């Protein structure tokens, strides 16, 4: 399964990894370090690149912190990239002290030492420039991100035990978690995200602070919350992060449909634990991502798996015989998904794709044991549209029964459906499913001007195409005239 955490590291592992990665980065970090030092400024590689260097992960996107102010940083970076005719600098983050540049395969951001805090009622941080590396590191979110490498000497600075926490797999804050989360409440989401990305445990005092301060997340903009959620969902171990959000109450403020899946179990356990089922479907979706064109991680597929049953709490009904039903939870769930994603400011494309998959996730179960007609298969493909590959993955992932025989039967049935889709696709060009006549031809044959009747005629021909498969233009014209004649 997907939720296997990273193996434990030793301090020696960390030292070897960081030495090798700093040697690889040498052409960038040594040259920049010397340029800043010559101008009388401090420079240090910091944050994620240092953490990932210790984990043996390579990056060409590098973050630095410096004593230099933005104008001085910009001048130095322009001098550094000048030897590369494709090099460039930018200053979109100037108000936060950040100047960026690109040289060859390297993308660099250099930020002036700073501290930032949130007013309790503000969604934007107040940024003040600092004057020391130590002061800059203490304001960072977690100890594993609060390590630095001074340049050009390559001295590792670890004031808060980040190396040990990295080796033992713990997420802690450099100062008190209460102070850290008060400064930037989004760090609570980031704790869950790093748990999901690294497979680490979150320190008990950090979890306690998250639980007690969960309401503070309300001052953070929907866009920033969305971005953290996307990173969490597409991480290698999303169950860890999502479980933490639910357990601390943050999910109730960010994506309340998820904890709502923790339905009260009836005394006879006649329905599955919907919350645990959902997390299992998410994990099985991840396992099936190699089937998708991009190979994963695929946010749309994963988020559809996370949201596919959110309509169940609204539609749960207990029948007289004691069974439980969730009729139309697919339709209700699609509406809830669209509403939540709109609130989180997702793109229209992502909203449409995810909510469409949620609405279609039960469609396969009308297939029974394989008795669908070709017409029904064509409609399945037509309705799925561009999301057909993801629908295949979601439908397969949604089988979480422990009854092996039942699971194998469902998989064989879906294999048969995919085989039929492939056969019909080869025979009938299902990818571009359309009638034999277009709108202009319909207007010419029936003597119509553009309008509602042309649309009705087109829909008639599309239904004909779905029911009977491809036909010639001549046959389509005969059927169109017959249909038109019946309308008087």
């Amino acid at each position: 399964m997907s939720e296997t955490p990273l193996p434990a590291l030793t301090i020696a592992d960390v030292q070897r990894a960081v030495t090798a990665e700093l040697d690889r980065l040498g052409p960038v970090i040594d040259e920049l370090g010397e340029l800043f030092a010559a101008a009388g400024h401090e420079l240090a590689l910091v944050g994620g690149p240092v953490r990932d260097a210790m984990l043996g992960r390579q990056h060409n996107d590098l973050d630095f912190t410096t004593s230099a102010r933005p104008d001085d940083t910009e001048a130095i970076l322009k001098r550094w990239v000048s030897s590369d005719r494709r090099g460039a600098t930018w200053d979109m983050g100037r108000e936060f002290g950040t100047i960026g540049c690109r040289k060859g395969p390297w993308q660099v951001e250099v930020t002036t030492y700073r501290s930032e805090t949130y007013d309790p009622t503000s969604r934007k941080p107040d940024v003040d420039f600092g004057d020391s590396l130590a002061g800059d590191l203490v304001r960072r979110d977690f100890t594993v991100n609060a390590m630095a490498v001074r340049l050009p000497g390559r001295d590792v600075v670890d004031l808060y035990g980040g190396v040990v926490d990295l080796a033992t797999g713990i997420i802690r804050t450099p100062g008190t978690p209460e102070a850290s989360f008060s400064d930037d409440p989004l760090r609570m989401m980031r704790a869950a995200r790093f748990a999901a990305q690294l497979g680490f445990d979150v320190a008990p005092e950090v979890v306690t602070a998250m639980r007690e301060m969960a309401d503070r997340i309300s001052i953070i903009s929907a866009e920033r919350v969305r971005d953290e959620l996307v990173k969490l969902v597409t991480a290698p171990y999303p169950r860890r992060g999502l479980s933490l959000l639910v357990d601390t109450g943050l999910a109730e403020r960010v994506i309340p449909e998820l904890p709502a899946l923790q339905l009260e179990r009836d005394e006879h356990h006649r329905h599955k634990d919907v919350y645990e089922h959902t997390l299992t479907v998410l994990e099985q979706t991840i396992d099936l991502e190699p089937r998708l064109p991009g190979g994963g991680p695929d946010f749309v597929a994963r988020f559809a798996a996370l949201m596919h049953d959110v309509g169940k709490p609204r539609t749960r009904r207990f029948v007289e015989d004691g069974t439980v039903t969730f009729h139309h939870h697919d339709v209700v769930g699609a509406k809830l998904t669209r509403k939540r994603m709109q609130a989180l400011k997702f793109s229209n494309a992502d909203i449409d794709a995810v909510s469409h998959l949620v609405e279609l996730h039960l469609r396969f179960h009308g297939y029974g044991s394989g008795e669908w007609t070709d017409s029904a298969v064509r409609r399945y493909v037509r309705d799925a549209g561009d999301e057909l590959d993801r629908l295949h993955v979601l439908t397969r992932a949604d089988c979480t029964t422990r009854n092996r025989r039942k699971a194998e039967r469902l998989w064989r049935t879906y294999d048969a459906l995919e085989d039929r889709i492939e056969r019909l696709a080869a025979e009938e060009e299902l990818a571009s499913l359309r009638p034999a006549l277009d709108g202009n031809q319909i207007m010419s044959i029936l003597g119509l001007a553009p309008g509602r009747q042309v649309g009705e005629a087109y829909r008639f021909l599309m239904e004909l195409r779905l029911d009977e498969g491809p036909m010639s233009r001549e046959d389509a014209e005969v059927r169109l005239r017959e249909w038109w004649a019946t309308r008087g």
Side-chain angles (χ1 to χ4, degrees):
M1 291 293 287
S2 310
E3 290 283 336
T4 303
L6 293 175
L9 300 173
T10 66
I11 300 300
D13 292 331
V14 172
Q15 291 172 333
R16 283 192 295 270
V18 75
T19 298
E21 179 62 357
L22 292 180
D23 285 342
R24 187 185 75 88
L25 300 177
V28 178
I29 62 177
D30 295 342
E31 188 173 348
L32 278 175
E34 290 166 1
L35 286 172
F36 275 81
H41 304 296
E42 298 175 359
L43 183 73
L45 184 69
V46 73
V50 178
R51 178 198 70 227
D52 287 346
M54 294 181 177
L55 291 171
R57 298 173 175 175
Q58 296 185 348
H59 280 286
N60 284 2
D61 293 354
L62 305 178
D63 296 325
F64 298 84
T65 187
T66 181
S67 60
R69 294 304 189 251
D71 288 346
D72 297 324
T73 296
E74 186 175 34
I76 294 171
L77 292 182
K78 283 185 175 180
R79 195 155 64 247
W80 182 59
V81 304
S82 62
S83 60
D84 182 356
R85 64 186 181 87
R86 294 188 176 182
T89 62
W90 54 87
D91 67 348
M92 282 87 78
R94 180 182 292 274
E95 66 174 311
F96 298 105
T98 301
I99 305 295
C101 73
R102 181 181 64 253
K103 182 179 181 180
W106 309 101
Q107 184 160 307
V108 166
E109 287 192 348
V110 182
T111 302
T112 302
Y113 295 154
R114 70 189 189 189
S115 62
E116 59 187 36
T117 58
Y118 275 83
D119 181 275
T121 61
S122 172
R123 289 189 170 187
K124 294 185 178 180
D126 297 320
V127 177
D128 295 315
F129 294 145
D131 55 10
S132 72
L133 177 60
D136 184 86
L137 294 179
V138 75
R139 58 159 284 277
R140 294 181 178 268
D141 51 9
F142 305 109
T143 59
V144 295
N145 296 328
M147 300 177 288
V149 177
R150 287 189 183 273
L151 302 169
R154 299 193 186 181
D155 297 323
V156 175
V157 179
D158 179 19
L159 304 177
Y160 305 103
V163 172
V164 173
D165 288 345
L166 200 64
T168 55
I170 294 292
I171 300 294
R172 291 192 304 111
T173 54
T176 68
E178 291 80 7
S180 181
F181 298 156
S182 180
D183 285 346
D184 184 355
L186 189 67
R187 289 173 178 171
M188 294 185 287
M189 291 282 297
R190 286 169 64 83
R193 190 247 289 185
F194 281 116
Q197 286 182 328
L198 301 174
F200 284 9
D201 294 323
V202 178
E205 69 273 14
V206 175
V207 175
T208 297
M210 292 170 66
R211 188 173 290 119
E212 292 175 350
M213 301 178 69
D215 281 340
R216 282 279 285 160
I217 199 68
S218 62
I219 74 167
I220 302 298
S221 69
E223 291 84 354
R224 294 185 72 205
V225 170
R226 174 202 64 207
D227 291 346
E228 286 299 324
L229 188 61
V230 170
K231 292 173 184 177
L232 189 162
V233 170
T234 54
Y237 318 107
R239 177 190 278 263
R240 284 176 169 257
L242 293 166
S243 297
L244 184 60
L245 292 182
V246 171
D247 292 345
T248 57
L250 278 163
E252 187 66 41
R253 280 85 172 172
V254 172
I255 180 170
E257 293 79 10
L258 182 59
L261 293 175
Q262 295 178 309
L263 301 175
E264 294 180 6
R265 297 285 297 271
D266 63 287
E267 60 177 333
H268 299 294
H269 299 270
R270 287 193 174 92
H271 68 273
K272 294 179 181 178
D273 183 326
V274 183
Y275 173 70
E276 284 298 323
H277 164 76
T278 294
L279 294 181
T280 301
V281 172
L282 172 59
E283 291 174 325
Q284 293 186 167
T285 296
I286 295 171
D287 293 338
L288 291 168
E289 279 179 333
R291 287 172 164 262
L292 297 174
D298 188 292
F299 172 75
V300 168
R302 293 189 186 193
F303 204 61
L306 192 64
M307 302 296 284
H308 80 284
D309 274 348
V310 296
K312 281 191 171 180
R314 294 270 187 97
T315 58
R316 185 174 64 157
R317 300 290 183 271
F318 291 97
V319 186
E320 289 184 0
D321 64 2
T323 59
V324 183
T325 66
F326 303 98
H327 293 313
H328 307 301
H329 76 266
D330 47 346
V331 177
V332 173
K335 293 178 179 178
L336 292 173
T337 298
R338 181 173 293 276
K339 184 177 180 180
R340 178 55 49 202
M341 294 185 74
Q342 287 172 340
L344 290 170
K345 308 297 184 183
F346 278 94
S347 69
N348 288 335
D350 281 349
I351 294 171
D352 289 343
V354 174
S355 57
H356 191 49
L357 286 167
V358 172
E359 186 171 7
L360 291 178
H361 82 273
L362 291 180
R363 187 68 61 88
F364 158 72
H365 296 284
Y367 190 65
S369 58
E371 62 272 11
W372 272 13
T373 63
D374 282 353
S375 173
V377 175
R378 294 185 193 106
R379 281 178 164 76
Y380 190 82
V381 173
R382 188 271 311 270
D383 291 347
D386 293 339
E387 302 308 321
L388 182 62
D389 289 329
R390 288 176 173 138
L391 183 58
H392 289 332
V393 165
L394 176 59
T395 303
R396 289 180 178 276
D398 196 22
C399 175
T400 61
T401 179
R402 295 180 182 179
N403 183 324
R404 184 173 179 180
R405 185 174 298 178
K406 181 179 179 181
E408 290 177 349
R409 184 171 66 250
L410 285 170
W411 276 65
R412 285 196 303 270
T413 305
Y414 205 83
D415 286 341
L417 174 58
E418 286 199 64
D419 288 344
R420 289 184 65 187
I421 289 173
E422 187 174 347
R423 176 177 59 79
L424 286 175
E427 295 173 357
E428 302 183 5
E429 299 181 355
L430 289 185
S432 55
L433 195 62
R434 59 176 62 90
L437 302 174
D438 61 24
N440 289 328
Q441 291 167 324
I442 291 171
M443 288 188 288
S444 175
I445 291 168
L446 300 182
L448 297 175
R452 176 178 55 82
Q453 291 175 318
V454 178
E456 292 175 357
Y458 187 88
R459 286 190 290 276
F460 162 75
L461 291 173
M462 175 58 84
E463 290 298 314
L464 199 63
R465 169 70 174 86
L466 291 169
D467 286 337
E468 301 183 16
M471 63 177 56
S472 67
R473 289 187 179 183
E474 293 75 14
D475 289 341
E477 180 176 345
V478 170
R479 300 291 291 275
L480 176 64
R481 291 184 182 278
E482 291 174 351
W483 171 80
W484 185 247
T486 65
R487 293 169 55 88

